Amino acid sequence: MTVRRDFKEPARCRPDQVIGREELFGAAREQLERGGSVLLHGPAGIGKSTVLRALAAEYGHEARTVLRCSPTETESHLPFLALADLLGLVLDEVSDRLPAAQRTALEAALTGRGESTLQRDGLALRLAVLSALRALAEAGPVLVVADDLQWLDPASAELLGFAARRLGDTPVRMLCAVRTEDQEYDRHLRAAPPDTLAVRLGPLTRAQMSALLDHRGFTGLPRSTVRDIHRTSGGNALFALELGRALAENPTPPRAGEPLPVPTSLRALVLNRLEMLSQEARRTLLVASAGARPTLALLHAAGRHNAEAETAQAAELGLLATEPEGPALRFAHPMISAALYAEAPAQERRAAHTALSTAASDPIERARHLALATSGTDPEVAARLAEAAALARDRGAPSVAAQLSLLAARHTPADGPPRPEVLRLDAAEDAVTAGELDLARDIAREVLTRATVPADRVRAWIIVIDTAGHAMTEVDAVFPQALADAGEDPRLLALVHYQLTWRAVLVKGDFDEAREEAAYAAALAARADDRYTELMALAFQAQIETLMGHPDAPATIRRALQEPQDPRVACHHNGAGYSRFRWLIMSDQLPEARTAVTTLLREVRRHGWVESEVHFLRGVAETELHSGHCGHALDLARESLRLARDTGIGEVASAVLTSLAEAAGGEVDRALALAREALEHAERDGDQMYCSRALAALGHAQLVAGDTSAAVGSLRRVREVEQSLGITDPARGRWHGDLAEALVRGGELAEAQDVIDVTREQALRLNRGSVLAVLDRAEALVRAARGEQEAAVAQATSAQDRLGRLGYGLEEARAAFALAQLRTSAPGPTSYDEATRLFRRCRALPWLRRVEAATEARRAQAVPTPASAPNGRDGVDGLDGLASMERQVAALVMEGATNREIATRLFISVKTVEATLTRVYRKLGIRSRVDIVRLAAGRRTT
């Protein structure tokens, strides 16, 4: 094994450290497992070397020899240098096995002794590199690891490419990384084998970048700051880490609305062409970097009269991207804009903002530039900023509104009006709406350090509670302080008691207390003429009553929908509109539920209400899942989960729903992982409501995966938790049929029947038709297990028909699957046709896999035993007539090894395994791996 002297492998470089590259890493890993080669490509700093080191660390130990090189730009003119790095330390091992002419040429090239060149010794050198790699491979697999392939000297690249194209089935894998822009990587494939997989590394998402920053020690950054880092870095890992380091080293955070501080190292990296611009051109670019959406017209209005020529020069130097369509100017990378701004003196920045404060056409932009051009307090500037914040709020840009309100507070004199604390609280509430919970919490805590007005203090406490989300145990001590500050004021008390409603549910798990608190909060708000809080309390009371199966729930929903309404409540995720959606979906009115929640989602997106968007995305996904549109539901659920993780809002709830969607239309392993993640978070937060939801999702995934005993354990816990919470409506979680089915599989028929009977009583009382049909499907399994075959088939047939009429596509398909398993007719390949058709219509991939497994099992049962089959004796004897490789593959199949495991153990590709098995099937006259096992069993019994 050779290791270049200046190449140091990290002590621990595991795949789980490749943040945000899991899918790409998996594709590259599979390619290497198949015996193929991989070329990683992407722009500088994107993370290619990290992925390359992780792959090399994982697969380096499987190779007998690892050859490495990591060329640099300054050395790229030296011929054969990369080749010397790769083969220098193994020359003695292979030289004796090379023909004399090849050995002489290779030694001269690697040692620098003699005058070997490609022109003089071209053929001998080419053949020597190929022969050396083949000689090394005779002793065991070889892995060639080459980073920064773009700096490979031309001679080494030519020799390596010649050998790579001729290696064929020789066990030599290449793992390379190259710096490219866009998709220009084709020419680098000439130095790699023909079947090389090219893997492009693109920008990280905001959530992935947040995880990377946390992993590298930059923890505790507000989500708004992570958002700015992501925007400024353009998703580039190196740039993001350098920005994070600059923030950590800078004791003074940037002012609201200002770009992030850019460290000197990055300025030099992205602005190395800036000195070629004139001073006036640099000022023009500075004005462009300060603008939100710079155009030539804006630059002219800001006094940059030669903007066309100056921006054209910048585009030629690669600082600006050429945009043939549209008036907007765009920097080649967001980092260039940030670095330009950071490089400029403070006086020039203020001059740029002063010019833009009159040049910009948008009043919000004008106000922002005016604030950044002004130092100290100024009531007129503060008033314009407050007006701009209100305008941004109306436009559905709460994040912008929060920044403007903070700027307004900074420029407002201490004696107001309005008071700076009021403006800061406006900013915090806008930040909550935008999903920037860390920023909102920090603002509220700051206000509490100096506020003395009770209304300000209670408002700040409410923000602190809101930003805790479902983890209300973390702010339990806040409630007594908030009640003390509220005093006897009914309006302030209503706000606190509305939050106590949530505490009763999430912390105490007491629905009766929650209902009483909600009713009390609504009464207090009505006394204070606070219609917003009254409507919110009534809506939450309706949700609690729905979960309890309380008969007053419809009446409470009607009260919450009565006029006068508050537009802020109409589309709120805890408002009456969402309560009505929950009632519709639990009452099997799927088309109406879809219309209701889709309308809500459209409205909150228009207003920029991120927290509500997360909730309503889940609502649409849930409706699609019930309707059997599994692919669409999975896409929506994943979108909700990405947004939840990006904002820190509703992560547990989104993970639960995505788990259910993965179990229906994605990957069961992913469903299990998400359910366990949700359960862990819910238990840590002390959230009993979502403990039950996570357990239900986990039990469902375990059932789909075929782990019956685990499913029973999880779903029994759900039953216990919901009984303690007082949840009686079975349409809330819809786990009861899964529990009964799992119990039947485990032989617990009496308990299964008890679950069915108790749940049926509740479903009949509430008229939950889909729940009753699912219970009938489960009861059909109970009857079949007791030998009541005819009654079981009739009950399952009825259940399938009713579920189809109600529009529950996936449950209808599950009933068809159960029915196929119950039928007593002779088994055959068409027995599962109806279930297959329905699951395919739903795009229910995990269930289709289960149907395929059941079909294969029936087919295997239908195949005559080897002893009685017409060609059975020939088949048994045929095992001895297989070729050596065929016998090895067949033997590993008999041990239960997968194709990938066979490929790894025999040092061949998965494709070779598949081709070998095809030959085995043809020679033995069989059709599947199951038949190989049966033939082997026949041999043992004769």
Side-chain angles (χ1 to χ4, degrees):
M1 179 181 295
T2 67
V3 180
R4 182 184 164 114
R5 288 184 295 277
D6 61 351
F7 188 103
K8 294 184 178 179
E9 199 69 65
R12 289 178 65 83
C13 190
R14 303 194 316 267
D16 61 358
Q17 294 177 343
V18 187
I19 306 291
R21 308 298 187 190
E22 293 81 5
E23 185 174 347
L24 297 177
F25 188 90
R29 179 173 56 195
E30 289 181 5
Q31 173 74 353
L32 292 169
E33 286 178 347
R34 289 192 294 265
S37 297
V38 173
L39 175 69
L40 307 170
H41 66 100
I46 205 68
K48 303 180 297 298
S49 296
T50 302
V51 176
L52 179 134
R53 286 194 296 269
L55 287 166
E58 180 163 343
Y59 291 99
H61 67 274
E62 295 186 3
R64 179 187 179 276
T65 307
V66 179
L67 308 175
R68 304 180 189 271
C69 72
S70 184
T72 63
E73 183 177 12
T74 58
E75 300 170 344
S76 61
H77 66 286
L78 299 173
F80 306 123
L81 184 62
L83 190 67
D85 290 336
L86 290 169
L87 298 177
L89 297 182
V90 295
L91 181 60
D92 293 341
E93 183 180 343
V94 299
S95 60
D96 291 343
R97 286 181 276 174
L98 303 181
Q102 296 180 22
R103 181 170 63 249
T104 301
L106 185 60
E107 287 177 349
L110 297 186
T111 62
R113 295 191 296 270
E115 298 181 357
S116 181
T117 65
L118 277 179
Q119 289 73 25
R120 176 182 170 182
D121 304 313
L123 182 59
L125 268 176
R126 288 173 172 83
L127 293 175
V129 173
L130 178 60
S131 298
L133 291 173
R134 284 174 173 166
L136 290 170
E138 287 177 2
V142 177
L143 177 65
V144 178
V145 181
D147 200 1
D148 285 320
L149 206 62
Q150 74 277 3
W151 305 132
L152 207 67
D153 63 273
S156 296
E158 168 62 25
L159 294 171
L160 200 59
F162 176 87
R165 291 189 293 273
R166 290 162 176 81
L167 285 169
D169 292 333
T170 306
V172 176
R173 291 175 291 181
M174 294 185 66
L175 175 59
C176 306
V178 61
R179 181 187 302 178
T180 58
E181 296 296 335
D182 299 323
Q183 297 291 329
E184 299 172 1
Y185 61 89
D186 292 3
R187 63 188 182 91
H188 299 289
L189 287 172
R190 291 198 295 267
D195 64 343
T196 297
L197 173 68
V199 178
R200 177 168 178 78
L201 275 68
L204 296 174
T205 67
R206 193 192 305 178
Q208 291 166 347
M209 184 160 288
S210 177
L212 174 65
L213 290 166
D214 286 344
H215 179 73
R216 296 298 178 89
F218 303 115
T219 56
L221 291 174
R223 292 183 185 272
S224 56
T225 302
V226 174
R227 179 200 61 200
D228 291 342
I229 291 176
H230 182 257
R231 184 183 63 244
T232 304
S233 69
N236 186 289
L238 173 65
F239 293 172
L241 291 171
E242 289 299 312
L243 289 169
R245 186 173 293 109
L247 283 169
E249 294 172 354
N250 190 349
T252 305
R255 297 167 61 190
E258 283 188 340
L260 296 172
V262 179
T264 305
S265 59
L266 287 185
R267 295 185 205 179
L269 180 64
V270 300
L271 299 180
N272 55 356
R273 288 157 289 186
L274 197 63
E275 64 270 9
M276 300 175 69
L277 290 174
S278 66
Q279 191 65 30
E280 288 302 308
R282 291 182 65 164
R283 289 198 179 100
T284 295
L285 288 189
L286 173 62
V287 174
S289 71
R293 184 176 169 80
T295 62
L296 288 172
L298 178 66
L299 294 177
H300 279 298
R304 310 311 303 168
H305 303 299
N306 295 320
E308 285 90 348
E310 290 162 351
T311 54
Q313 184 186 6
E316 290 178 4
L317 293 172
L319 295 167
L320 288 177
T322 54
E323 294 285 356
E325 298 181 2
L329 297 170
R330 184 171 65 85
F331 284 90
H333 192 281
M335 183 61 69
I336 297 175
S337 174
L340 270 167
Y341 190 91
E343 187 83 2
Q347 183 178 355
E348 291 187 13
R349 293 187 210 171
R350 284 196 295 272
H353 286 299
T354 299
L356 289 168
S357 68
T358 57
S361 59
D362 186 83
I364 293 176
E365 271 299 289
R366 289 200 300 270
R368 184 179 74 88
H369 288 301
L370 181 61
L372 294 174
T374 306
S375 58
T377 59
D378 187 321
E380 183 179 347
V381 171
R384 286 183 59 181
L385 285 165
E387 292 171 2
L391 181 59
R393 200 174 295 123
D394 290 341
R395 287 183 181 178
S399 181
V400 175
Q403 284 193 1
L404 292 169
S405 292
L406 284 176
L407 287 170
R410 184 173 291 123
H411 290 287
T412 298
D415 54 354
R419 296 187 308 278
E421 286 78 8
V422 172
L423 292 168
R424 290 190 180 92
L425 290 169
D426 287 343
E429 289 170 350
D430 284 326
V432 170
T433 302
E436 298 176 8
L437 303 186
D438 294 335
L439 175 62
R441 186 185 304 110
D442 291 344
I443 296 170
R445 293 286 189 188
E446 181 186 353
V447 168
L448 285 166
T449 60
R450 54 173 175 261
T452 57
V453 177
D456 293 345
R457 292 188 61 80
V458 170
R459 194 175 165 194
W461 287 126
I462 298 301
I463 292 168
V464 170
I465 295 169
D466 277 342
T467 56
H470 283 208
M472 295 194 80
T473 52
E474 297 177 4
V475 293
D476 212 25
V478 164
F479 290 98
Q481 300 175 68
L483 285 169
D485 283 329
E488 300 297 324
D489 187 328
R491 185 177 64 84
L492 300 181
L493 285 171
L495 294 173
V496 180
H497 280 280
Y498 174 70
Q499 297 293 339
L500 284 169
T501 301
W502 285 94
R503 178 180 178 274
V505 171
L506 298 177
V507 177
K508 302 176 71 174
D510 190 330
F511 276 30
D512 289 321
E513 181 180 331
R515 181 172 177 267
E516 292 173 6
E517 285 283 4
Y520 185 48
L524 285 169
R527 262 173 51 199
D529 200 22
D530 179 0
R531 185 62 172 160
Y532 172 84
T533 305
E534 181 187 7
L535 290 172
M536 292 293 288
L538 286 171
F540 195 62
Q541 180 183 341
Q543 287 194 46
I544 296 297
E545 290 173 346
T546 299
L547 293 174
M548 297 172 68
H550 198 285
D552 290 348
T556 307
I557 292 176
R558 286 194 294 272
R559 284 181 62 199
L561 290 170
Q562 283 176 352
E563 296 294 339
Q565 283 290 312
D566 187 308
R568 295 171 297 168
V569 178
C571 295
H572 196 281
H573 55 277
N574 290 321
Y578 193 65
S579 297
R580 178 174 175 270
F581 160 72
R582 297 302 322 163
W583 177 262
L584 289 170
I585 202 168
M586 293 171 71
S587 302
D588 299 326
Q589 301 178 59
L590 295 182
E592 295 85 350
R594 181 185 293 108
T595 299
V597 74
T598 303
T599 301
L600 290 169
L601 178 61
R602 184 168 55 247
E603 281 300 302
V604 298
R605 281 177 166 167
R606 186 172 67 84
H607 289 288
W609 296 345
V610 177
E611 185 172 9
S612 293
E613 181 181 356
V614 174
H615 283 74
F616 297 154
L617 266 173
R618 286 200 306 270
V620 179
E622 183 182 353
T623 309
E624 295 301 307
L625 192 58
H626 286 320
S627 301
H629 306 148
C630 299
H632 190 208
L634 182 57
D635 291 341
L636 289 166
R638 286 173 174 170
E639 182 183 354
S640 170
L641 183 59
R642 283 193 297 269
L643 186 58
R645 286 178 169 165
D646 198 19
T647 59
I649 296 171
E651 293 180 79
V652 172
S654 293
V656 165
L657 183 66
T658 310
S659 172
L660 293 170
E662 290 282 359
E667 295 295 334
V668 179
D669 288 345
R670 178 71 174 151
L672 290 165
L674 285 168
R676 291 187 179 109
E677 174 190 325
L679 180 59
E680 179 183 347
H681 283 283
E683 289 177 336
R684 185 185 63 205
D685 294 341
D687 184 349
Q688 291 298 298
M689 281 273 288
Y690 270 95
C691 277
S692 72
R693 296 298 297 269
L695 282 166
L698 179 59
H700 178 73
Q702 289 164 336
L703 183 68
V704 176
D707 192 347
T708 302
S709 61
V712 169
S714 297
L715 296 172
R716 278 174 173 164
R717 285 184 62 193
V718 179
R719 194 181 191 193
E720 294 169 3
V721 172
E722 293 203 353
Q723 284 175 346
S724 67
L725 288 173
I727 297 174
T728 60
D729 193 330
R732 182 255 184 180
R734 299 179 182 270
W735 48 266
H736 312 76
D738 284 346
L739 175 55
E741 183 177 335
L743 288 167
V744 172
R745 289 189 194 175
E748 303 285 346
L749 302 185
E751 185 179 350
Q753 190 64 57
D754 178 65
V755 170
I756 292 167
D757 291 343
V758 171
T759 309
R760 180 179 283 132
E761 182 180 352
Q762 297 164 344
L764 284 168
R765 177 173 61 85
L766 298 169
N767 193 27
R768 302 300 191 225
S770 61
V771 174
L772 290 168
V774 168
L775 292 173
D776 279 353
R777 184 185 70 205
E779 192 170 45
L781 300 177
V782 175
R783 287 185 167 180
R786 290 173 174 164
E788 304 170 21
Q789 196 71 14
E790 186 175 344
V793 169
Q795 194 167 14
T797 302
S798 171
Q800 179 185 343
D801 181 59
R802 282 180 289 148
L803 288 166
R805 288 201 307 271
L806 288 169
Y808 285 80
L810 182 58
E811 297 297 347
E812 177 191 5
R814 287 183 63 180
F817 185 31
L819 189 58
Q821 293 173 309
L822 292 175
R823 293 196 186 278
T824 57
S825 58
T830 61
S831 299
Y832 291 98
D833 280 358
E834 176 68 359
T836 300
R837 182 184 70 80
L838 292 174
F839 281 133
R840 187 172 289 126
R841 184 183 69 183
C842 295
R843 284 186 56 193
L845 303 182
W847 288 100
L848 277 171
R849 296 184 194 109
R850 289 193 59 186
V851 173
E852 289 169 3
T855 303
E856 182 65 26
R858 283 200 176 185
R859 185 182 292 122
Q861 292 171 4
V863 174
T865 61
S868 61
N871 297 320
R873 172 51 50 196
D874 294 338
V876 172
D877 294 339
L879 289 169
D880 295 324
L882 297 175
S884 174
M885 177 62 72
E886 294 167 350
R887 282 200 307 273
Q888 291 180 66
V889 170
L892 290 172
V893 167
M894 295 173 200
E895 294 178 12
T898 64
N899 287 2
R900 182 174 295 171
E901 290 168 343
I902 295 170
T904 301
R905 291 170 66 174
L906 297 180
F907 297 104
I908 58 177
S909 69
V910 174
K911 288 184 178 178
T912 301
V913 175
E914 293 168 350
T916 303
L917 279 174
T918 299
R919 292 196 300 272
V920 170
Y921 298 158
R922 186 171 61 249
K923 287 183 177 181
L924 300 181
I926 59 177
R927 291 179 292 181
S928 70
R929 298 166 63 95
V930 174
D931 295 337
I932 293 178
V933 178
R934 293 182 63 82
L935 285 173
R939 162 184 279 183
R940 288 192 293 269
T941 58
T942 58

